[in-house]
Amino acid sequence: MYKPGAAKLKKYLAVSALLAFSTALSAPALAQEEGSEEGGFGSLSGKLKLASNYMYRGLSVSDDGPQLQGSFTWAHDSGFYAGVWASNTSAGGEGNSVEIDPFVGFAGTVGDSGVGYDIGFWYYSFPGSVADLDYWEIYGILSYTLGEADLGASVWYAKNYFGDDFFPDTPSYALQTTASYPLPIGEGVSVSGKLGRQIFDESAALTAQDYTYYDIGVSKAWEAVTLDLRWHDADGVKPDLAAPENVGSLVASIVFSF
């Protein structure tokens, strides 16, 4: 995750802030990829991602270094899914270099309306950290296909943002919209983007930390391989939350689905 500024570095054991799963991948998408192993008890799928930087909500959480990220998801026909996500990270404080996140949720569609929904729980853990930085988020996602465009909106809530040793007792919300559209320049080529707002509950220890984040990029998919080139950025990020050099980056990535 992103590296906090000097004030928080001294107070919170050189903590780097919040980590989550890759913005391009949602749990239901992981569960429904081609090539998953299907059976009477559901299907199993996974992804492996290599990227030039690990960006989360506009902020680098690998200190502008490369990312290796993997995930496995089991999904049932009922809509229930569960899995685990992991990545290297510069977040998690002293002694930590990896994040391992279990998740669980339920996804489906609203009748014949074309509206999809996804409700879930995500737990962020930093097993090597000497600080207490583990926390959870619950999320709700709506999706809709309008012509050839795929649209989405979501809300994420954390009761205690990044654990007891970062911003103690500080709830946070992330409100996010996404859109993607196929480009007429070749099969599997699309443009997509995201616009979000990270909102913190102000307290005596944390004020005026809200910020806006966004990304835009192009991708090309061949069967189980996807290449992506994307610009990530954020506006209004304060030094307590992230160092200026860790805000915004152009990222190239390749994802293998299985």
Side-chain angles (χ1 to χ4, degrees), residues 54-120:
Y54 182 8
M55 301 298 294
Y56 175 70
R57 294 178 186 168
L59 310 177
S60 174
V61 296
S62 58
D63 200 16
D64 290 322
Q67 178 197 22
L68 174 61
Q69 173 236 304
S71 60
F72 287 98
T73 302
W74 172 83
H76 190 265
D77 289 345
S78 65
F80 178 80
Y81 63 87
V84 63
W85 181 101
S87 176
N88 65 294
T89 178
S90 64
E94 182 180 347
N96 190 74
S97 61
V98 65
E99 179 187 2
I100 302 174
D101 300 349
F103 58 87
V104 63
F106 188 86
T109 58
V110 181
D112 297 325
S113 67
V115 175
Y117 64 86
D118 179 9
I119 302 170

Side-chain angles (χ1 to χ4, degrees), residues 21 41 44 57 71 112 129 187 217:
F21 52 91
F41 295 97
L44 181 66
R57 294 178 186 168
S71 60
D112 297 325
S129 179
E187 185 177 355

Side-chain angles (χ1 to χ4, degrees), residues 43-240:
S43 61
L44 181 66
S45 61
K47 288 184 181 290
L48 177 66
K49 179 180 179 180
L50 305 173
S52 59
N53 199 341
Y54 182 8
M55 301 298 294
Y56 175 70
R57 294 178 186 168
L59 310 177
S60 174
V61 296
S62 58
D63 200 16
D64 290 322
Q67 178 197 22
L68 174 61
Q69 173 236 304
S71 60
F72 287 98
T73 302
W74 172 83
H76 190 265
D77 289 345
S78 65
F80 178 80
Y81 63 87
V84 63
W85 181 101
S87 176
N88 65 294
T89 178
S90 64
E94 182 180 347
N96 190 74
S97 61
V98 65
E99 179 187 2
I100 302 174
D101 300 349
F103 58 87
V104 63
F106 188 86
T109 58
V110 181
D112 297 325
S113 67
V115 175
Y117 64 86
D118 179 9
I119 302 170
F121 174 92
W122 195 279
Y123 188 80
Y124 304 81
S125 68
F126 304 88
S129 179
V130 300
D132 183 1
L133 304 174
D134 296 355
Y135 72 106
W136 53 260
E137 270 189 325
I138 56 175
Y139 56 88
I141 303 171
L142 292 177
S143 59
Y144 185 71
T145 299
L146 182 63
E148 294 186 302
D150 292 322
L151 308 176
S154 60
V155 59
W156 309 74
Y157 169 75
K159 183 179 180 181
N160 191 12
Y161 180 85
F162 212 64
D164 290 333
D165 289 332
F166 187 64
F167 288 147
D169 301 319
T170 303
S172 70
Y173 300 84
L175 306 177
Q176 183 172 286
T177 59
T178 60
S180 65
Y181 191 82
L183 295 177
I185 59 175
E187 185 177 355
V189 180
S190 62
V191 60
S192 60
K194 178 187 298 87
L195 176 64
R197 180 74 173 171
Q198 182 74 58
I199 302 169
F200 296 92
D201 183 18
E202 294 188 1
S203 67
L206 175 66
T207 58
Q209 295 291 333
D210 300 356
Y211 72 95
T212 300
Y213 60 92
Y214 51 93
D215 69 60
I216 186 167
V218 293
S219 60
K220 166 64 177 177
W222 296 274
E223 297 293 336
V225 179
T226 301
L227 296 178
D228 188 88
L229 183 64
R230 187 166 304 274
W231 175 255
H232 300 256
D233 214 338
D235 291 327
V237 179
K238 305 301 189 296
D240 280 352

Side-chain angles (χ1 to χ4, degrees), residues 242-254:
E245 60 267 24
N246 290 147
V247 179
S249 180
L250 180 65
V251 179
S253 66
I254 181 170

